[in-house]
Amino acid sequence: MEELLPLYLVTNRYDFSDDIFLNIIREACQSGVSMVQLREKKATTRRFYELASTVKKITDDYSIPLIINDRIDICLAVDAAGVHIGDDELPVDVTRQLIGPDKWLGVSSKTVAASLAAEKNGADYLGVGAIFPTSTKKNAEEVSIDTLKQITRETTIPVVAIGGINTTNLSILADSGISGISLVSDIMLAESVKQKTKMLRGVINRDILKKGIADHDDK
């Protein structure tokens, strides 16, 4: 699944209307996002389900996996590609049992020990951070670049860097061994979602993953 992780969009509702929110996701999918995680911390279960169903139609149109943040029930209800959990959710091995062997399981991690345990217990990929201060999780403990590199060396599953990453600090992650970057505001709040997404994907491919810049045409 490593090829699906280069530019990983985690959504944030902010104060967007549904139409604007969904259009941002659509434009990001058109322009180079490789995976979408739907994150809804305040929505009711019914609201989350309805929104996830609509978002999945968009991601399916572009053959992009949809990951549901935390909510195993929503993941299963809409048949999303997988679920991403933090360290305050169900244990990794229990989550794996509930979602089965075929859905992807992402796990947030801040230490080498936690990363190794997550891999052992069934995680498919790790979200490591916060690498930089982030407004999305204001009290998030930061993870050093050295720790990030150690995690990528000592685990065998893909690692995505998360937390406060944007175009101004992206280059710091070069040679860290990561498989991708997870972004929220740099895409969700971009003046031009298409332009920003294409630019980010190009920089990630060239400077982080050390491969040619892919073209991303609108469908």
Side-chain angles (χ1 to χ4, degrees), residues 27-73:
E27 291 190 349
C29 289
Q30 290 172 348
S31 308
V33 160
S34 55
M35 188 175 284
V36 174
Q37 180 185 141
L38 184 61
R39 185 174 183 268
E40 291 288 323
K41 290 293 187 180
K42 297 180 180 180
T44 64
T45 296
R46 181 61 174 266
R47 172 67 170 148
F48 200 164
Y49 167 74
E50 291 173 346
L51 192 61
S53 297
T54 303
V55 171
K56 188 172 184 295
K57 292 177 183 177
I58 296 173
T59 55
D60 282 353
D61 281 345
Y62 298 93
S63 300
I64 292 172
L66 174 64
I67 303 296
I68 301 297
N69 180 260
D70 293 344
R71 295 290 299 271
I72 297 170
D73 56 339

Side-chain angles (χ1 to χ4, degrees), residues 9-185:
L9 172 63
V10 178
T11 67
N12 192 334
R13 291 283 295 170
Y14 297 103
D15 294 321
F16 296 133
S17 66
D18 281 5
D19 286 346
I20 292 175
F21 177 73
L22 295 170
N23 194 56
I24 289 170
I25 295 173
R26 183 177 293 105
E27 291 190 349
C29 289
Q30 290 172 348
S31 308
V33 160
S34 55
M35 188 175 284
V36 174
Q37 180 185 141
L38 184 61
R39 185 174 183 268
E40 291 288 323
K41 290 293 187 180
K42 297 180 180 180
T44 64
T45 296
R46 181 61 174 266
R47 172 67 170 148
F48 200 164
Y49 167 74
E50 291 173 346
L51 192 61
S53 297
T54 303
V55 171
K56 188 172 184 295
K57 292 177 183 177
I58 296 173
T59 55
D60 282 353
D61 281 345
Y62 298 93
S63 300
I64 292 172
L66 174 64
I67 303 296
I68 301 297
N69 180 260
D70 293 344
R71 295 290 299 271
I72 297 170
D73 56 339
I74 302 296
C75 170
L76 295 175
V78 303
D79 194 24
V83 66
H84 188 98
I85 60 171
D87 55 12
D88 57 348
E89 304 301 325
L90 286 173
V92 178
D93 57 344
V94 174
T95 302
R96 171 54 72 194
Q97 291 173 16
L98 290 171
I99 65 173
D102 298 327
K103 291 195 180 297
W104 294 332
L105 175 54
V107 177
S108 296
S109 178
K110 298 180 182 300
T111 67
V112 174
S115 298
L116 289 169
E119 178 178 14
K120 178 181 178 181
N121 288 319
D124 292 304
Y125 69 93
L126 301 168
V128 176
I131 303 301
F132 305 105
T134 172
S135 60
T136 305
K137 290 187 177 182
K138 295 183 178 180
N139 297 320
E141 180 183 348
E142 291 181 39
V143 176
S144 70
I145 300 296
D146 285 343
T147 297
L148 175 65
K149 290 180 177 179
Q150 189 177 0
I151 290 171
T152 63
R153 286 195 303 267
E154 297 195 23
T155 57
T156 62
I157 56 177
V159 173
V160 177
I162 63 175
I165 301 169
N166 55 51
T167 50
T168 65
N169 56 32
L170 187 56
S171 61
I172 298 174
L173 298 171
D175 301 316
S176 61
I178 59 175
S179 297
I181 307 293
S182 179
L183 296 170
V184 184
S185 61

